[in-house]
Amino acid sequence: MNPKGQAAMEHWQKHLPERYAKLQDPIGFFTRLGEEAAARYMAIRDADLAGLNPNDGTISWAEWPDRVAQAHQKAMEIVDREMIYLAPEDLPED
């Protein structure tokens, strides 16, 4: 299981215990989720960097590291929000 799958599993155990309890194979589920998250991260990041190449002049070498960092941050935020750190289950009212 990759780090994203592990993070999702820990999050579900703490914040989504009912959903977690319904999983028949949590290890398999979170292993696959981690792999899907990694693939989604790469797709988002690569799409943001598509067409930019410091070797052909579409972007300067000085700007390239910043664009890579921006693409990385954006992809991480989307994957974390949509796949890893889902909103907690509603807490019962007292």
Side-chain angles (χ1 to χ4, degrees):
M1 179 181 318
N2 69 21
K4 286 294 184 189
Q6 184 68 38
M9 185 170 74
E10 291 169 4
H11 177 78
W12 280 44
Q13 287 171 331
K14 183 175 182 178
H15 299 287
L16 300 160
E18 291 177 17
R19 287 178 70 177
Y20 183 85
K22 292 178 184 177
L23 297 174
Q24 292 184 6
D25 177 16
I27 300 299
F29 177 83
F30 290 106
T31 297
R32 287 186 300 279
L33 180 64
E35 292 167 357
E36 291 170 14
R40 177 114 167 91
Y41 163 83
M42 293 296 290
I44 295 167
R45 189 202 66 184
D46 290 352
D48 275 2
L49 297 174
L52 300 177
N53 186 342
N55 290 322
D56 68 11
T58 56
I59 189 172
S60 72
W61 278 102
E63 188 181 0
W64 178 248
D66 289 337
R67 292 296 291 269
V68 171
Q70 290 169 357
H72 165 76
Q73 186 64 35
K74 176 183 174 182
M76 291 294 286
E77 289 174 4
I78 291 171
V79 167
D80 283 351
R81 181 181 65 246
E82 293 179 358
M83 301 180 78
I84 306 303
Y85 300 108
L86 305 181
E89 295 171 347
D90 292 336
L91 299 174
E93 295 181 0
D94 290 321

